[in-house]
Amino acid sequence: MTQIVDFALVDAVLEETGRREKRLRLLPSRVVVYFVLALALFEHCSYRTVWSKMTAALTPLALVRPAASSLTRARRRVGAAPLRCLFETLAGPVARPGQAGAFYRGLRTVAVDGTLLHTPDDESVTWLYPERAGESLEFGYPLLRLLALVECGTRALMAAAFGPKSEGELPYAKRLLTALDKTMLLLADAAFDGNEFLDAVHQSGARFLVRSGARRAPTPAEHLGDGSYITRIGYGVLRVLLPVRVIEATLTLTLADGTVRIEQWRLITNLLDPVRFSAAELVDLHHRRWQAETTCPGVACGSRAGLPGGGVRWCCPGTLPLLPQISHVSAKSLAMSSFCG
């Protein structure tokens, strides 16, 4: 682990966030950061088991084995800020220019998607993450919504946002826009077909290729040679209408059991040149967004911590939960974050 996250980096984020210890401790802040990262790697293990795995190579030194309560207090002392800073430092694109699957005509392809994680059913959590409620009863674990921006081709995490399920995906997705720039092409499903969101992506300088929702009925302003057409979106919402290109396609899907399904798709993009960016290429390219849909469940499975369907590992009631997001440890996207409930 220290080959990816070296001591100097950990010390730097502790210094930046003001979490370096003021006196000599049995569990220095640097050690606590590595312990929290190890919790994400061994999510099904107890605190003391994780500690044993982390220090296995140091057995000849006869190190003191701290109690679980000591590790809990150490996590509380260090808090979330250093891990958030560490994630922001390490998260980002890792593909080299021209790497297969990561670029399309010079643009780095990235995708956004979301998932839901269970949180503990505890009063210290449910004030922010309420239990799901029916007409007369509350049921199930409280849910946390996670949105991730992923580099296609490497599945490297570039940014993440999370919070209560009560907010939809778009508000969290807007928090990820600072990670976009003019060198990128964003791929997304119909959940992200919002006029304000698409305009914000456009204003960031990035290109987008998004599946349109069924309720959108664009009016063609100009028909293009490849069957796509130009229209404008944002009536009644945007101060300046956004010109986009619409690609309509019929997809034939053959399932494993031989069942054939035919679906009508409509894609919206700000790649307006039909010669450089043909409709057929863009329809095929949009499938890369599945890399975000497979990365988010991977985060959920990697943070299950004993909760069904994926969950958040908690420090103890009233303290910081841990949202593990370790992805492609051998690359640059070691993502670890904890947040205050």
Side-chain angles (χ1 to χ4, degrees):
M1 189 185 299
T2 55
Q3 295 179 0
I4 301 168
V5 185
D6 59 36
F7 295 145
L9 176 57
V10 173
D11 290 343
V13 299
L14 288 169
E15 191 70 36
E16 181 178 340
T17 55
R19 299 304 171 92
R20 185 186 289 275
E21 63 274 1
K22 304 299 182 184
R23 58 184 175 84
L24 185 63
R25 291 180 177 272
L26 174 63
L27 292 171
S29 298
R30 178 202 286 178
V31 174
V32 175
V33 170
Y34 284 113
F35 172 69
V36 175
L37 296 178
L39 284 176
L41 291 173
F42 305 106
E43 71 275 4
H44 297 297
C45 298
S46 68
Y47 272 24
R48 300 196 75 188
T49 301
V50 171
W51 177 267
S52 297
K53 290 178 178 292
M54 188 177 73
T55 59
L58 304 177
T59 302
L61 299 180
L63 297 177
V64 175
R65 189 183 184 199
S69 59
S70 298
L71 293 167
T72 295
R73 287 192 297 270
R75 281 196 58 197
R76 185 187 299 121
R77 168 172 52 84
V78 171
L83 294 165
R84 185 178 295 112
C85 183
L86 186 61
F87 170 63
E88 292 171 352
T89 301
L90 294 177
V94 300
R96 297 177 180 179
Q99 181 172 327
F103 290 86
Y104 169 69
R105 297 197 176 276
L107 295 171
R108 186 184 301 272
T109 54
V110 300
V112 62
D113 198 40
T115 191
L116 295 172
L117 305 180
H118 292 99
T119 64
D121 186 0
D122 187 273
E123 291 182 358
S124 63
V125 183
T126 53
W127 71 271
L128 181 60
Y129 300 93
E131 295 178 292
R132 288 168 283 173
E135 294 183 0
S136 58
L137 296 175
E138 293 181 334
F139 61 94
Y141 286 100
L143 293 176
L144 172 150
R145 189 182 298 279
L146 165 69
L147 270 289
L149 183 68
V150 178
E151 180 183 45
C152 297
T154 65
R155 289 184 172 85
L157 280 172
M158 298 175 57
F162 45 84
K165 175 183 176 291
S166 54
E167 289 193 62
E169 289 186 320
L170 280 178
Y172 293 112
K174 290 179 181 179
R175 301 184 194 176
L176 309 179
L177 296 182
T178 55
L180 297 178
D181 60 39
K182 63 181 180 181
T183 68
M184 298 178 183
L185 169 60
L186 176 69
L187 310 178
D189 204 359
F192 303 93
D193 174 29
N195 292 326
E196 293 178 325
F197 178 72
L198 296 181
D199 185 62
V201 175
H202 182 75
Q203 295 302 322
S204 74
R207 308 297 195 273
F208 60 79
L209 178 63
V210 178
R211 184 179 177 184
S212 172
R215 291 182 296 179
R216 189 184 289 278
T219 301
E222 177 187 355
H223 289 275
L224 304 176
D226 64 350
S228 61
Y229 57 88
I230 302 295
T231 188
R232 289 173 175 79
I233 62 174
Y235 288 95
V237 178
L238 304 178
R239 294 181 60 184
V240 178
L241 296 180
L242 178 63
V244 297
R245 179 170 159 221
V246 178
I247 301 169
E248 296 184 347
T250 301
L251 300 185
T252 302
L253 308 176
T254 303
L255 306 182
D257 62 357
T259 303
V260 176
R261 290 173 51 187
I262 298 178
E263 297 183 0
Q264 300 293 326
W265 275 37
R266 179 184 292 127
L267 302 178
I268 295 181
T269 181
N270 57 350
L271 297 170
L272 303 182
D273 186 349
V275 176
R276 185 180 180 191
F277 309 106
S278 71
E281 283 186 356
L282 293 180
V283 171
D284 182 66
L285 175 68
H286 190 257
H287 284 283
R288 292 190 192 177
R289 70 174 178 79
W290 285 101
Q291 298 186 38
E293 297 198 7
T294 55
T295 299
C296 281
V299 172
C301 293
S303 51
R304 192 167 277 120
L307 295 178
V312 176
R313 187 167 195 161
W314 214 256
C315 181
C316 65
T319 60
L320 299 176
L322 166 68
L323 176 60
Q325 298 173 42
I326 291 189
S327 172
H328 311 290
V329 177
S330 61
K332 187 182 174 183
S333 59
L334 176 65
M336 185 70 185
S337 173
S338 53
F339 61 99
C340 229

